[in-house]
Amino acid sequence: MAAKRPYYRRGEHNPFDVARIVEAAKMRARGFSWAAVSKKVGLTIDGLRFVLKKQAKLWNESLDAAMAQTVAEVRELAGTEKMLPVIDEYSIAAIAAEKWLRDRGEHLFPMPDSATTKADGAKHTLRSFFEAYYRPVRLFDGSPETTDLYIKCIRRFELLVGNPTLAEVTTEMLAHFRDMLLAARRYSTVKVLSAHTVRMYVRHIQYLLDCAGPPVHKSRDRAGFIDVVPYCKPPRAELPEPKIVKDDLLSACYEAAGSMETPRVAGVDPPAWWRALLVVAYNVGLRRRTLFAMEWRHVDFHEGTLRLPAAIMKSRKRLLLPMNDIVRRHLLAIRSDEEKVFPWPFSREWFGRYFRQLQATAGVMGNAKFGLHTLRKTCATTLFKEDAQAAQLMLGHAALSVTKDSYVNAVAALRDSVSRMPQPSGFVTSDVRPSVVVRAENDAALDWL
């Protein structure tokens, strides 16, 4: 039952609502959602918002006090072992504290004074070094995704290590950062970091420190703020087996696209938009970033090619790719006056929701769910069966090893070839039967014989 709208007399506070407001402020300051807050205080979300609107002054005062306490607690716990047992709560509270301070024009960990860093570059913190030097000098043509990734790594470093200056960072501190990331996996129940992700965090922090060190022949734009660059060996990480999409599931998604009603592009049916996206992602193997940045001026229907400029490629190298007939037909079906080939008016998160909706309609459930990058790996595996170098060229990789190690599913690529391997006549004609144990344990497993 919805909570009744509270009644207020002029100039008075309802004591019960005051307690609710204080409790709501404490929960919001620790990153709890509005749904969780409303359930805790015993009001619907609309009822809670009504109370907060009526008591706006009390709410703002309570929230500011609670957020200030959260900021102090996060700063105290950052870089200590005490945060590990509460790593989930600590991370959520830290995100809330960062957002609150960012809205006020402040940082969770204070930036050093510009006059101080100008006189001595070693007084930079990782964040100030990134903003003052690395971003404008080394990352001036980087994509927004790359910039966001560096900021994410810096934030993780600050939360786990603290806010040391470049001169204060040591090899032991980097090792502590690595070990804390690995240890956090044992305590976290929200999102467990893989060893590969931990390795990524460590390597990006190392890139920043390397750039703060002395210039070398191949990196003459290093800042030279520190004489000796600390180094920490990243954890070993075994690359996961590349996931691919089976033909029947992809066909099911293609058929299910008939039920899609978004996006609405002038002159283009939503089902045709989704089918073209699936066809291009599977046949051309472009990254998501490139797919949504591709423009019609990059498509040459007469020559049957895609002329992708360096600006929309991760490698920052132009790529010229052929289109087969099925790609050409599907792109012609969605040709519009829009600038982009695949215009998407909503956020990246909303695309994920609609893509999952499409797969749910197609009956793709559980571990079988896939993303656009999985279609890139499927494209690589399919081409690798026919020609390894063709797969490398299609994906735009500088080395064949990158294609082979990270994008090609070896089992799928080798299965047909292995099944066609010539066999000595003795292998084929011998009368080999499953053992008695196999027959007794699982007769169903013998159906393939």
Side-chain angles (χ1 to χ4, degrees):
M1 180 180 293
K4 293 182 178 180
R5 177 173 293 185
Y7 173 74
Y8 295 97
R9 293 181 181 177
R10 187 180 300 277
E12 292 185 359
H13 294 297
N14 186 321
F16 187 47
D17 288 334
V18 170
R20 284 171 162 171
I21 289 173
V22 173
E23 180 66 22
K26 290 180 179 179
M27 293 184 69
R28 286 296 294 171
R30 283 168 171 75
F32 285 88
S33 66
W34 282 112
V37 174
S38 65
K39 183 177 180 180
K40 178 68 175 179
V41 300
L43 291 172
T44 63
I45 293 180
D46 289 338
L48 177 60
R49 287 175 176 170
F50 178 81
V51 171
L52 300 183
K53 183 178 179 181
K54 283 292 185 179
Q55 302 289 353
K57 182 178 179 181
L58 177 60
W59 163 249
N60 291 330
E61 292 175 351
S62 301
L63 182 61
D64 287 347
M67 287 302 316
Q69 182 178 353
T70 299
V71 169
E73 291 175 355
V74 169
R75 287 173 175 170
E76 181 181 355
L77 288 175
T80 68
E81 301 284 350
K82 295 179 181 179
M83 74 163 117
L84 282 178
V86 291
I87 188 66
D88 291 340
E89 295 83 353
Y90 169 79
S91 300
I92 295 172
I95 292 173
E98 278 188 320
K99 184 179 185 304
W100 182 71
L101 288 172
R102 186 167 61 248
D103 293 341
R104 297 163 64 94
E106 303 176 29
H107 294 278
L108 181 58
F109 298 96
M111 300 273 277
D113 182 73
S114 59
T116 302
T117 56
K118 188 173 182 180
D120 184 0
K123 297 293 181 64
H124 271 294
T125 62
L126 273 179
R127 184 181 292 274
S128 66
F129 172 71
F130 176 79
E131 296 293 347
Y133 189 89
Y134 194 89
R135 190 172 185 172
V137 175
R138 295 288 296 271
L139 209 60
F140 68 96
D141 61 346
S143 66
E145 291 82 1
T146 301
T147 301
D148 291 343
L149 178 59
Y150 270 103
I151 293 175
K152 181 179 180 180
C153 294
I154 293 171
R155 179 186 296 118
R156 183 78 65 164
F157 182 82
E158 291 174 338
L159 294 179
L160 295 181
V161 178
N163 195 35
T165 64
L166 294 176
E168 294 171 340
V169 178
T170 63
T171 296
E172 291 78 12
M173 189 177 292
L174 289 178
H176 176 71
F177 173 59
R178 176 199 61 201
D179 296 341
M180 291 284 276
L181 284 172
L182 294 172
R185 298 188 303 163
R186 297 196 296 269
Y187 292 94
S188 177
T189 58
V190 177
K191 184 177 182 181
V192 179
L193 299 179
S194 66
H196 187 71
T197 302
V198 173
R199 181 181 177 88
M200 179 271 295
Y201 278 120
V202 173
R203 293 182 66 180
H204 277 73
I205 295 299
Q206 189 68 59
Y207 293 154
L208 290 174
L209 292 172
D210 289 344
C211 188
V216 295
H217 175 65
K218 292 187 177 181
S219 299
R220 288 175 286 180
D221 57 352
R222 291 184 176 180
F225 291 159
I226 53 178
D227 296 330
V228 179
V229 179
Y231 173 77
C232 164
K233 184 178 180 180
R236 292 184 180 181
E238 182 177 349
L239 291 174
E241 178 184 359
K243 178 183 176 181
I244 61 174
V245 186
K246 295 182 179 179
D247 290 350
D248 57 339
L249 296 182
L250 198 51
S251 297
C253 289
Y254 184 89
E255 295 298 327
S259 65
M260 300 301 288
E261 299 178 354
T262 302
R264 297 185 181 276
V265 180
V268 177
D269 292 329
W273 189 95
W274 284 99
R275 285 169 177 160
L277 182 70
L278 292 173
V279 166
V280 174
Y282 170 78
N283 282 276
V284 187
L286 297 177
R287 290 184 177 87
R288 172 178 177 157
R289 177 195 312 174
T290 306
L291 274 172
F292 287 107
M294 187 167 60
E295 301 176 5
W296 285 115
R297 61 191 177 93
H298 304 149
V299 182
D300 189 333
F301 288 108
H302 179 70
E303 293 187 1
T305 55
L306 297 176
R307 300 178 179 275
L308 305 173
I312 66 173
M313 302 298 297
K314 179 182 178 181
S315 63
R316 289 295 184 265
K317 296 180 180 179
R318 67 177 181 86
L319 193 61
L320 181 64
L321 298 176
M323 294 187 293
N324 57 27
D325 289 340
I326 192 167
V327 168
R328 190 184 309 192
R329 290 203 306 270
H330 279 79
L331 286 180
L332 285 171
I334 64 168
R335 184 69 173 91
S336 68
D337 293 332
E338 295 283 341
E339 182 181 17
K340 299 289 181 64
V341 175
F342 295 106
W344 181 255
F346 308 113
S347 66
R348 177 173 181 171
E349 289 73 20
W350 274 99
F351 172 79
R353 292 187 183 184
Y354 280 104
F355 199 24
R356 288 191 294 271
Q357 175 187 328
L358 170 64
Q359 294 179 49
T361 305
V364 182
M365 308 298 291
N367 293 332
K369 294 179 181 178
F370 61 92
L372 291 179
H373 205 68
T374 310
L375 291 179
R376 177 173 167 84
K377 295 178 181 180
T378 307
C379 172
T381 302
T382 304
L383 285 175
F384 198 88
K385 296 179 186 179
E386 306 299 328
D387 189 332
Q389 288 189 335
Q392 176 193 355
L393 291 173
M394 181 67 82
L395 270 63
H397 290 154
L400 180 60
S401 59
V402 177
T403 310
K404 179 172 63 68
D405 294 341
S406 301
Y407 288 85
V408 175
N409 186 297
V411 174
L414 291 173
R415 190 182 299 279
D416 292 341
S417 298
V418 170
S419 66
R420 294 194 298 267
M421 282 184 65
Q423 299 294 318
S425 58
F427 290 5
V428 179
T429 58
S430 62
D431 186 17
V432 179
R433 294 182 176 275
S435 69
V436 176
V437 174
V438 173
R439 289 176 178 275
E441 286 184 349
N442 193 0
D443 290 338
L446 305 179
D447 290 343
W448 58 274
L449 289 175

